[in-house]
Structure formats: structure tokens, C-alpha cells
Amino acid sequence: ADQVTARALLAAYAKMGVMAMALGAYDLRYGADWVIREAARAKVAALSCNLRQGSGWARGSLLVGDGGNRIGIVGVTLSTPETASNLRAAGVDDEAAAGCYRQEASRLVASGARGIVLLAPGGIAAAQHFVEVLASTEATLPSIVLTSGSLQLTGRSEEHTSELQSRVDISYAVF
């Protein structure tokens, strides 16, 4: 996908009422500053508490709802062996992930969040491992974990499947 397609996808997210997205390897291919700026233009919060941006950190969380129905959303960018070097170059700090999640979740709960939604691109295995790490600490565990997955294509040649998987990304969003 090119930048025009990425902008169109962000505009579609906004029209569907998407409030937040977490930044993953696919999202960061044009650089953190670019995707964060374009998401802001589309009025979609781009979240990743463990993404270094300039001299600080990218936005890590969002509190949504009102009154007693407030939910906290925390974005954490998770690396896999396949994405680790590209994400590190983009500014993702794997070592900071658990600590920044704990900090964001605690702040959101103190602000009235009744639950935490964790947006964790990187796949099911990485998200499960991350939640297991959190469970071994004093962290507020997420109520819901949303992650990206791999597109499974069947009934096609291996060459065709591989080519499609390199072009298709399964994403998620919070409505």
C-alpha cells in the first residue's frame, strides 16, 4: 500500500467512528511522525506507549466514555522476530512495553476507567506472551486484548499465497 491508500484507510476509519488504533510494523513503514500526523488529520488517535518520538514518547492511551462508563485504551507495539529490527529502527522500545502499559493503565484507572482495552499489534502469540508478562507483575490486566493476525489463504498455489500475504494486512480498530 502507498501513502494515498494509507490516508484513505485512515479516512475510512474515521467515517466508521474508529476512535483509536495502535501502531504496528505495517503502520510504521512511512515513519512514526508521518502516520501519527496523518491519523491526527483523520481524527483517529494513533497509540503506542513504547514508541519513542523525538525527545519523548508517542501517545500511549485514550480515555473514552463518560460518567461511570469510561474505558481506557492502551496501545503497545509488540515486536516479533520478523519485525523486531524494523520496529527498533522506527523507535519502538520493547524493553519499555510492560512498564509503559502499567503506567498508562494505572493512570486511566485513577481517572475513572472501569476497564482497559489493550491494542497490541504483533500477533496472537506476542499478545499472549505480553499479557503473561503483565500477569506476573502488579499491573492492572486488560479486560480485552485486540491484536492483529495473519491472513490464512487456502486453495491457492504457494507462490500466489505468499504474494498475497506480502500485500494484505489484517488490521483492527476499536469502535
Side-chain angles (χ1 to χ4, degrees):
D2 58 19
Q3 290 180 343
V4 172
T5 304
R7 283 186 189 106
L9 181 60
L10 287 166
Y13 278 178
K15 284 185 186 247
M16 291 186 298
V18 172
M19 301 166 73
M21 62 180 276
L23 299 173
Y26 189 74
D27 305 305
L28 293 169
R29 68 193 176 285
Y30 300 118
D33 291 339
W34 185 88
V35 71
I36 291 169
R37 182 181 64 247
E38 294 301 320
R41 283 184 183 154
K43 298 186 179 13
V44 176
L47 306 177
S48 177
C49 70
N50 61 320
L51 173 65
R52 290 187 185 277
Q53 189 183 24
S55 61
W57 297 94
R59 182 176 183 178
S61 65
L62 179 68
L63 186 63
V64 298
D66 56 13
N69 296 315
R70 300 175 86 181
I71 299 293
I73 303 170
V74 179
V76 177
T77 303
L78 301 179
S79 295
T80 66
E82 298 80 23
T83 64
S85 63
N86 288 344
L87 288 175
R88 204 171 18 260
V92 173
D93 185 344
D94 289 330
E95 299 298 317
C100 74
Y101 169 84
R102 283 192 302 271
Q103 182 178 0
E104 295 287 341
S106 293
R107 186 179 59 74
L108 291 165
V109 169
S111 296
R114 296 183 57 157
I116 303 294
V117 175
L118 169 62
L119 302 181
I124 295 167
Q128 181 175 347
H129 175 72
F130 185 70
V131 171
E132 289 169 357
V133 168
L134 294 176
S136 69
T137 69
E138 297 294 317
T140 300
L141 293 178
S143 306
I144 299 171
V145 178
L146 299 177
T147 188
S148 55
S150 297
L151 179 61
Q152 298 298 315
L153 301 170
T154 58
R156 303 283 186 154
S157 71
E158 228 177 83
E159 180 179 309
H160 185 256
T161 299
S162 177
E163 188 268 332
L164 276 176
Q165 285 177 330
S166 71
R167 292 187 308 135
V168 178
D169 181 59
I170 302 298
S171 298
Y172 59 86
V174 174
F175 296 88

